[in-house]
Amino acid sequence: MSSGVTLKPECVAVFTEMKLGHKYRYIIFSLTDDLKQIHVLKTAPPSATYDNFIEELKEAEDQRQCRYGVFDAEYKLKDGQTRQKLVFFLWSPEAAVIKQKMLYTSSKDYIKKALVGIGKEIQACDYGDLDWSSVLEVLLRTEVAQ
């Protein structure tokens, strides 16, 4: 919280529903209009896809804004085993307003500490960073049974 930004309690509650109940495929978090609190902007049902998640982030870029997101990623190892991890995203597109970039970056560790159970983290500033193959590479980096 070194940036002065706080986290609305709903953020942890919704994240817990995702983590324990697999109620959502993803959660999009944003700063409130006054840039003082992080809140849940949107949730998506388990039937949503990674492409849907990316579209949400692209909408933020169109508004010159940053976003946090958590995606419930399901992927396969090379030996065919299926794995699932909660991936935390900091989306800070080049087009975003500088103040947004600074606040999101300086508040990232604060929100991550509150959301206990994050498996991996992706910091993205362009579409290449969001490409599923790039995300999968990060997910597979520490897997033993590749």
Side-chain angles (χ1 to χ4, degrees), residues 29-133:
F29 301 95
S30 73
L31 289 174
T32 53
D33 291 339
D34 63 5
L35 304 177
K36 294 186 186 235
Q37 287 190 303
I38 300 167
H39 70 109
V40 173
L41 183 66
K42 183 167 185 175
T43 58
S47 60
T49 66
Y50 185 71
D51 289 336
N52 300 138
F53 178 66
I54 297 308
E55 286 305 313
E56 298 285 343
L57 298 180
K58 287 180 180 179
E59 285 178 24
E61 181 181 35
D62 293 342
Q63 299 168 23
R64 300 188 65 213
Q65 295 182 356
C66 301
R67 291 288 184 265
Y68 298 117
V70 177
F71 185 80
D72 191 355
E74 190 171 297
Y75 59 100
K76 288 191 185 284
L77 302 177
K78 290 179 183 172
D79 66 2
Q81 293 181 54
T82 300
R83 290 284 186 350
Q84 225 171 338
K85 277 201 172 118
L86 296 175
V87 183
F88 177 85
F89 287 80
L90 166 57
W91 174 234
S92 182
E94 298 292 334
V97 177
I98 296 294
K99 184 167 185 173
Q100 283 255 333
K101 288 179 164 191
M102 289 171 43
L103 283 172
Y104 273 83
T105 302
S106 62
S107 302
K108 175 186 64 98
D109 287 338
Y110 175 64
I111 184 173
K112 266 188 62 191
K113 283 179 186 167
L115 304 179
V116 177
I118 297 291
K120 293 288 181 179
E121 176 187 332
I122 307 278
Q123 292 189 46
C125 59
D126 63 35
Y127 297 137
D129 298 334
L130 293 174
D131 188 72
W132 178 249
S133 61

